[in-house]
Amino acid sequence: MSKRIEVNDLNVYYSKFLAVEEVSLVIEPRTVTALIGPSGCGKSTFLRTLNRMHEVIPGAYVTGEVLIDGNNLYGPGVDPVLVRRQVGMVFQRPNPFPTMSIGDNVLAGVKLNNRRMAKSDADDLIEKSLMGANLWNEVKDRLDKPGSSLSGGQQQRLCIARAIAVQPDVILMDEPCSALDPISTLAIEDLIEEMKADYTIVIVTHNMQQASRVSDRTGFFNIAGTGKPGKLIEYDDTTTMFSNPSVQATEDYVSGRFG
């Protein structure tokens, strides 16, 4: 079941430094939301607050709320590990575990969560996850080969398979195509379109065309200057953001005048 995300007055700090200021937005279930904006304006930092990943940096904390179906991820007693099981993450560079087989890579997150499974259940989950990541037909005859034996685009889809094997509700993607060639990028974009039927997806991208192709809604982040916090400048339906934004800075950015 994909979930609705509601962010209220979110501020993200690294010790005393305010990195992202006052973000409020609602992300509807089974949609793709793209976060765009120049480098260093807080997009990836904000993305990581949606599964408490930013907390792995010492001194990082937030104020405000991130609600998933009404439950605050930052509520008292909430276990960040459980949050990350519900909200999966795919990183910029494909990062399969190089010494693990393709099959074991898919199961890595599940095993991390201490789920013991019968071999037949594990085999079923591997197949289902790889099919979900549109990779099964390419690798089904070499599941015991190392994950690092795959091409870059296949490795990224393997990482997506690993993320969906844990059966999350939300999937975050931090520039998932920036290290890939155009054909692999297209494969990932097609996959995002298919996955939307089952998941709420939030993607950070520097590629304007990609944002306009894959997303339903787009958030534009910007920064007033070095050392200033990133802010969500505008958030709207993607077609509106690219054809008729209400803020001049958004129009300048999406038309390529800066960034």
Side-chain angles (χ1 to χ4, degrees), residues 8 26 32 49 60 64 67 76 95 144 177 206 213-216 223 246:
N8 297 318
V26 172
V32 179
T49 64
L67 306 170
N95 58 347
D144 53 348
C177 303
H206 273 288
R213 280 193 301 261
V214 303
S215 70
D216 302 291
I223 190 165
S246 55

Side-chain angles (χ1 to χ4, degrees), residues 4-176:
R4 181 177 196 263
I5 304 169
E6 189 178 334
V7 179
N8 297 318
D9 300 327
L10 189 78
N11 293 288
V12 189
Y13 291 88
Y14 293 114
S15 299
K16 291 196 176 72
F17 175 64
L18 177 59
V20 177
E21 186 174 37
E22 287 292 315
V23 175
S24 296
L25 55 76
V26 172
I27 295 169
E28 294 298 343
R30 295 193 171 88
T31 59
V32 179
T33 299
L35 306 177
I36 62 170
S39 294
C41 66
K43 307 179 297 296
S44 293
T45 297
F46 171 70
L47 188 76
R48 285 160 176 264
T49 64
L50 300 180
N51 73 344
R52 297 184 60 167
M53 223 27 224
H54 69 296
E55 288 176 14
V56 298
I57 296 171
Y61 68 97
V62 307
T63 62
E65 294 181 319
V66 177
L67 306 170
I68 295 194
D69 274 7
N71 301 312
N72 186 9
L73 302 190
Y74 292 93
V78 175
D79 181 352
V81 175
L82 293 178
V83 169
R84 290 172 203 145
R85 192 181 302 176
Q86 187 186 12
V87 185
M89 185 89 163
V90 176
F91 295 95
Q92 185 168 4
R93 300 218 163 257
N95 58 347
F97 300 111
T99 56
M100 278 188 197
S101 70
I102 292 168
D104 285 341
N105 257 290
V106 175
L107 297 177
V110 180
K111 288 183 171 163
L112 204 62
N113 290 320
N114 297 324
R115 293 226 326 256
R116 291 236 164 85
M117 9 176 53
K119 184 172 186 320
S120 59
D121 291 344
D123 290 345
D124 286 348
L125 183 60
I126 289 170
E127 180 173 349
K128 187 175 160 211
S129 303
L130 287 167
M131 286 182 84
N134 211 352
L135 188 59
W136 173 250
N137 288 335
E138 292 163 58
V139 302
K140 62 178 190 246
D141 301 324
R142 46 177 176 148
L143 295 174
D144 53 348
K145 296 280 188 292
S148 52
S149 67
L150 298 174
S151 72
Q154 289 173 325
Q155 286 186 27
Q156 192 61 298
R157 281 181 284 148
L158 179 59
C159 294
I160 292 171
R162 184 173 71 197
I164 60 184
V166 194
Q167 296 167 324
D169 301 308
V170 177
I171 296 185
L172 311 176
M173 299 187 175
D174 193 357
E175 295 190 52

